[in-house]
Amino acid sequence: MRIILYLASIILANVITAAFQPIQFSVFIIPMGTLLIGATFILRDLVQNKIGRKKTYLFIGLALILSAVVSSLLGDTLYIVIASAISFLLAETTDTEIYTRLKLPLAWRVFYSGIVGGLLDSAVFVIIGLSPIGANILPWEAVPAAIIGQVIVKTLIQGIGALIVSKIHTFQHE
């Protein structure tokens, strides 16, 4: 079930991002799919807990392919598809390796690894995909606000997810 939720959240994040306009909150620009991207890191951690690090990489690869196919089918430009793939691969592998190496309680590993993964995902995607380097959707002046907005949302999702994971983990071990 964890694997299905992980893969479904990645596909759904692509669909939601394509279907809805980004939220403009003050100077921050936040694609709607960002809410699910934060959750994908948590779900990936839970998949890793269940099946181990090596097998998790198989599902990261499958998720990468599914994400690229869905993104292409939704009409994203090649720049967006490539930026999404690069940012996904960097963020998911970094999250996986940090999560693996931290010797902390489960909730803290989920939180810290997800923050780093979310930061990488946001920065790489916005710079390669949306800035003048890529699809030229955002001018350089808007790039920092787009990155920061996504990082804030992903960090909040990570925090909420870590709290939920902590409560569930505590409940299961009582």
Side-chain angles (χ1 to χ4, degrees):
M1 183 57 117
R2 296 172 191 200
I3 294 167
I4 292 168
L5 287 172
Y6 170 63
L7 296 173
S9 69
I10 290 162
I11 293 168
L12 197 53
N14 280 320
V15 171
I16 289 170
T17 298
F20 298 99
Q21 289 294 319
I23 299 168
Q24 180 92 32
F25 184 74
S26 183
V27 298
F28 304 117
I29 303 163
I30 306 159
M32 293 298 289
T34 301
L35 298 168
L36 278 175
I37 297 299
T40 63
F41 294 117
I42 297 163
L43 292 167
R44 201 235 16 94
D45 292 338
L46 296 176
V47 167
Q48 183 176 344
N49 260 9
K50 189 74 170 175
I51 67 171
R53 188 176 120 240
K54 288 183 181 179
K55 288 182 183 173
T56 298
Y57 274 109
L58 296 173
F59 289 101
I60 290 172
L62 177 58
L64 176 67
I65 293 166
L66 286 172
S67 179
V69 168
V70 169
S71 186
S72 293
L73 291 173
L74 292 170
D76 287 335
T77 67
L78 187 57
Y79 282 116
I80 299 296
V81 173
I82 290 170
S84 180
I86 292 169
S87 64
F88 180 85
L89 192 58
L90 283 172
E92 291 288 328
T93 57
T94 301
D95 182 291
T96 300
E97 293 305 317
I98 290 172
Y99 180 84
T100 299
R101 287 165 174 73
L102 287 176
K103 302 301 179 213
L104 297 169
L106 177 65
W108 287 110
R109 289 186 293 151
V110 166
F111 183 66
Y112 289 137
S113 65
I115 287 175
V116 177
L119 176 63
L120 275 172
D121 185 62
S122 301
V124 171
F125 179 74
V126 170
I127 292 169
I128 294 175
L130 303 179
S131 78
I133 288 174
N136 200 22
I137 293 170
L138 295 175
W140 283 116
E141 306 80 54
V143 167
I147 294 170
I148 293 167
Q150 288 187 40
V151 169
I152 290 169
V153 170
K154 289 173 187 172
T155 301
L156 287 171
I157 298 297
Q158 286 302 130
I160 293 166
L163 286 172
I164 293 168
V165 165
S166 175
K167 296 292 183 197
I168 292 170
H169 188 70
T170 302
F171 178 75
Q172 289 176 343
H173 290 91
E174 285 183 351

